[in-house]
Amino acid sequence: QVQLVESGGGLVLPGGSVRLSCATSGFTFSSYDLNWYRQVQGKERELVAHSSSDDDTFYGDFVQGRFTISRDTAKKTVALQMNILKPEDTAVYYCNAWRAGSPYSEDYWGQGTPVTVSS
């Protein structure tokens, strides 16, 4: 059974930092792309950070060097270090694992962890 469990969210002051973690199980971790998305109620889910199975990374334009995604293959976890947080970073953050397949890609999601940036 595939599981992705996020942790680390909470209330953070503007300018502060938080580290999200996603513990995974039930799939071949090293062969999947791993992503962090976020969603604000009433808006579409957007990509925050991407880590490919061959260790390429890219980020949403709004990140502007503030966030870092990292994966630990031995522990089967993926983390998102977020620094210099802004109120507009407030959202529910989701961990995602994805792999191309035929006829369908494989796409797994965690339950989300909320991050609130507020004074």
Side-chain angles (χ1 to χ4, degrees):
Q1 181 182 2
V2 173
Q3 287 191 313
L4 291 87
V5 180
E6 301 98 335
S7 60
L11 177 63
V12 187
L13 292 172
S17 299
V18 69
R19 184 176 179 85
L20 306 182
S21 185
C22 176
T24 75
S25 62
F27 62 97
T28 307
F29 183 90
S30 60
S31 66
Y32 281 71
D33 293 347
L34 299 168
N35 306 295
W36 286 95
Y37 284 81
R38 70 184 187 185
Q39 188 169 25
V40 176
Q41 192 170 8
K43 295 188 177 181
E44 290 189 0
R45 194 170 293 188
E46 62 179 349
L47 179 67
V48 178
H50 166 86
S51 172
S52 71
S53 58
D54 55 1
D55 289 333
D56 287 335
T57 60
F58 62 80
Y59 300 87
D61 289 343
F62 58 86
V63 171
Q64 298 180 329
R66 300 179 296 132
F67 301 171
T68 303
I69 188 171
S70 58
R71 58 196 292 165
D72 186 325
T73 301
K75 295 181 179 179
K76 298 185 180 180
T77 60
V78 56
L80 183 67
Q81 177 67 41
M82 301 194 292
N83 301 323
I84 317 175
L85 284 161
K86 306 174 183 179
E88 51 264 42
D89 293 318
T90 296
V92 178
Y93 285 73
Y94 296 90
C95 178
N96 166 256
W98 181 91
R99 183 173 72 172
S102 180
Y104 305 108
S105 61
E106 297 172 66
D107 196 19
Y108 305 114
W109 293 88
Q111 81 289 351
T113 185
V115 174
T116 302
V117 184
S118 175
S119 56

